[in-house]
Amino acid sequence: MTQTGMADRRMEEDFLQRVEQEAGQALRELLDQAKLSEGDILAVGCSSSEVAGERIGTFSSVETAKAVFRGIYRVTQESGLFLAAQCCEHLNRALIVERQAAVRDRLTVVNVVPKPKAGGSFACMAYESFRDPVAVEHIRAQAGMDIGDTLIGMHLQEVAVPVRINQKQIGNAHVVCARTRPKFVGGQRAVYDERLL
């Protein structure tokens, strides 16, 4: 291997380590504000292409997705959350979840196995890493993280609230986070529980 080749490999390893750290940091910041409980669901959409500095859908990278997934999955496991990994638009943004969450929430399971070019590398990592993965089409998550403008809003509960975090990028990808809150009902004379805001 040439000196240039070794330098390129080292740069790649540094990039993947940085991406893993940034993903974990971003999620910790979200969780600090999201008021989640054990067993809640976090929906994550991730474009490995965008993380790598390319246009979404053009440069699916298993290694990059693996680094992002490791950073996020570690934090969800520590926090007792279920991760729902959004597939790409080729699978109509179906999600990969643990069967336990699908059974608990009576979600309809669909038959698909994500692949890097049909589902996306991040969803593939979830499918390979979960204990008993299944795909579902619809979910109502309590919080979400969108890495690379993958449009996860359709998977959140109805009242989503933007969460501002300091970790604005993972690799080269823009990061947007949200939590949800219960709807206000009752009108002008209603009294609300401040803990649920």
Side-chain angles (χ1 to χ4, degrees), residues 46 65 85-88 91 94 96 114 119-128:
C46 174
Q86 178 182 264
C87 297
C88 69
L91 298 186
I96 305 303
S121 294
F122 186 78
C124 290
M125 290 300 99
Y127 199 86
E128 291 176 15

Side-chain angles (χ1 to χ4, degrees), residues 48-50 52-62 64 117 121:
S48 61
S49 300
E50 292 278 335
E54 302 294 333
R55 189 167 155 265
I56 191 169
T58 64
F59 191 77
S60 190
S61 166
V62 173
T64 301
K117 295 289 187 182
S121 294

Side-chain angles (χ1 to χ4, degrees), residues 1-98:
M1 181 179 281
T2 66
Q3 288 294 83
T4 305
M6 290 191 310
D8 290 346
R9 180 67 185 147
R10 182 70 218 153
M11 190 171 73
E12 181 181 303
E13 289 172 7
D14 289 346
F15 174 75
L16 294 175
Q17 287 175 358
R18 178 170 61 90
V19 162
E20 182 175 342
Q21 177 195 6
E22 289 171 349
Q25 177 62 29
L27 181 52
R28 284 185 188 90
E29 288 185 44
L30 169 59
L31 296 183
D32 284 345
Q33 299 179 56
K35 304 176 186 176
L36 298 182
S37 300
E38 187 172 335
D40 279 350
I41 296 174
L42 171 76
V44 175
C46 174
S47 167
S48 61
S49 300
E50 292 278 335
V51 174
E54 302 294 333
R55 189 167 155 265
I56 191 169
T58 64
F59 191 77
S60 190
S61 166
V62 173
E63 289 303 313
T64 301
K66 189 181 293 186
V68 175
F69 181 83
R70 278 194 309 256
I72 290 172
Y73 193 52
R74 182 180 305 117
V75 177
T76 59
Q77 294 295 284
E78 291 167 0
S79 305
L81 302 174
F82 284 109
L83 174 59
Q86 178 182 264
C87 297
C88 69
E89 63 184 302
H90 295 96
L91 298 186
N92 298 324
R93 295 192 176 93
L95 303 114
I96 305 303
V97 298
E98 289 283 7

